[in-house]
């Protein structure tokens, strides 16, 4: 499994950001290899963050090359460049998300 964290600032009001998240969630549900996505906000900075749990690095890379990924900055009126982190999962606490390495 692979985790993608994408953190950004938006010029939009919070209620509009949350509405866009809901509207676009249908597209994310259809992505092959995306096991879960968490829509979050850092309370201390106001930054919005998408945390994605992918079945494989290949599924993540297919997403990153997609139009859906390229549309994030425009959809949310992102200020500057989003901070992106990719993390490899080596071990999980719960059995329902166990990783084979």
């Amino acid at each position: 499994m692979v985790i993608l964290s994408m953190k950004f600032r938006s010029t939009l009001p919070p209620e509009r950001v949350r509405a866009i998240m809901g509207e676009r969630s249908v597209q994310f549900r259809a992505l092959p290899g995306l096991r879960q996505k968490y829509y979050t906000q850092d309370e201390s900075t106001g930054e919005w963050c998408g945390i994605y749990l992918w079945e494989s690095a290949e599924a993540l890379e297919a997403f990153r090359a997609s139009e859906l990924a390229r549309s994030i900055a425009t959809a949310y009126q992102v200020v500057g460049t989003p901070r992106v982190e990719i993390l490899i999962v080596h071990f999980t606490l719960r059995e329902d998300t166990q990783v084979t390495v």
Side-chain angles (χ1 to χ4, degrees), residues 9-101:
R9 293 187 183 279
S10 174
T11 61
L12 300 172
E15 59 276 359
R16 183 65 192 131
V17 172
R18 286 189 292 274
I20 293 168
M21 289 174 171
E23 293 163 9
R24 292 171 56 93
S25 67
V26 173
Q27 294 170 285
F28 283 95
R29 282 188 187 102
L31 288 174
L34 180 60
R35 296 181 83 178
Q36 185 59 273
K37 181 178 179 189
Y38 298 94
Y39 297 84
T40 67
Q41 186 178 25
D42 185 329
E43 203 170 29
S44 66
T45 66
E47 291 176 300
W48 298 93
C49 185
I51 301 171
Y52 306 72
L53 181 60
W54 296 94
E55 288 180 0
S56 66
E58 294 78 18
L60 166 59
E61 289 310 313
F63 164 68
R64 293 185 79 194
S66 73
E67 180 57 35
L68 183 59
R70 286 190 296 274
S71 70
I72 291 171
T74 301
Y76 292 102
Q77 296 184 21
V78 172
V79 176
T81 304
R83 286 188 303 163
V84 175
E85 293 181 308
I86 297 172
L87 308 163
I88 305 302
V89 178
H90 293 284
F91 179 80
T92 62
L93 178 65
R94 307 274 183 229
E95 290 183 21
D96 58 335
T97 55
Q98 284 301 310
V99 178
T100 54
V101 181

